Amino acid sequence: KAGVTQTPRYLIKTRGQQVTLSCSPISGHRSVSWYQQTPGQGLQFLFEYFSETQRNKGNFPGRFSGRQFSNSRSEMNVSTLELGDSALYLCASSEGQGEETQYFGPGTRLLVL
Amino acid sequence: GENVEQHPSTLSVQEGDSAVIKCTYSDSASNYFPWYKQELGKRPQLIIDIRSNVGEKKDQRIAVTLNKTAKHFSLHITETQPEDSAVYFCAAEGQAGTALIFGKGTTLSVSS
């Protein structure tokens, strides 16, 4: 099976702009989770989608949002970008039953200037 | 919600030595504890996991122990090799269907 893919891989934006990132899970996986990775902060959980519904949400401001489509592909959106949003955004997919391996995509590196 | 603390943040060992990374979690309902390895510029990959009904699990040079009473779990790497150099993340998941929460990572450096 093909692995988790993310597009775009790199992105440069300026403060105040918005951005949309895309994640295509492994075929058959129904859960997609998003994480923000910055140096020293590890992998911070943003949200998880399962069968087109947000199942879990992390402690991020409302500027961060997401959605999942019927084919399990997911997008996340960040509005009104701030310098501190510069990070590697990783998505991970799993079958969605819990207590199972999450498979990560390569990530999208976002730089906000 | 769940909170995971991971120590140490950096660890340097000589090739052939053992390395131990420890994590504590806050949610007593957590049942699933995976460990991920992230090499420089690559995506995190699962190396071993353990569930709450097991106290220890081993896979070749890697082992994980779990103490549910104390709410902590540890990764043990024996006979370390330079290719073990990476960032290691522990994580905890509560009841099935809840979020997987990660620690902040440990940068392991193995020098030859």
Side-chain angles (χ1 to χ4, degrees), chain A residues 37 56 99 101-102 104-105, chain B residues 36 38 43 46 51 93 97:
Chain A
Q37 184 172 30
N56 293 291
E99 299 186 13
T101 303
Q102 287 197 5
F104 282 85
Chain B
Y36 283 79
Q38 186 177 28
R43 67 190 78 186
L46 179 79
R51 288 171 176 76
E93 179 181 321

